[in-house]
Amino acid sequence: MTTDPGTPRKGWGRAVRTTGILLAIPIGWFSVIVGATAAFGPVDPAVLVLGPDMPTRLPDGAGILRAGNGRTVVTAPDAAFVRELYANGAWIVLPALRNGCMDLRPA
């Protein structure tokens, strides 16, 4: 009878596997959020749109709440509007708070 747990994994194989797992978790979560926003629409009526020159390429009826540095926060009533944003050149559309962190403060 032996208590040897087996040969431990050494070297680059273990480091690469660990790094892959640590990268897969946030990438997977991010992918789920982006996919859910595109499929079902935003939870809040505001979305963060990432992409070049988005304030000038928004679909008709878009209400801009904030814009700057490649990020634009617009009102998005449903999933069809989110898909229009992608059709107009948005790279990524994510749920956003209408007033940023101010929405989280108690009234």
Side-chain angles (χ1 to χ4, degrees):
M1 185 159 131
T2 178
T3 58
D4 184 23
T7 32
R9 236 182 194 182
K10 294 182 182 178
W12 290 102
R14 184 175 186 173
V16 169
R17 189 181 91 202
T18 303
T19 302
I21 291 170
L22 291 176
L23 287 175
I25 292 170
I27 289 171
W29 179 250
F30 190 73
S31 299
V32 167
I33 295 297
V34 169
T37 302
F40 305 113
V43 176
D44 198 43
V47 291
L48 170 67
V49 183
L50 301 175
D53 301 326
M54 278 315 296
T56 60
R57 299 188 305 163
L58 292 173
D60 293 336
I64 298 176
L65 300 174
R66 292 187 306 280
N69 296 331
R71 297 178 304 225
T72 308
V73 177
V74 299
T75 57
D78 57 10
F81 187 79
V82 172
R83 287 188 283 277
E84 286 181 40
L85 290 170
Y86 280 117
N88 285 328
W91 290 347
I92 298 174
V93 179
L94 295 170
L97 297 173
R98 188 176 284 271
N99 294 320
C101 294
M102 296 298 288
D103 279 351
L104 299 176
R105 293 179 56 190

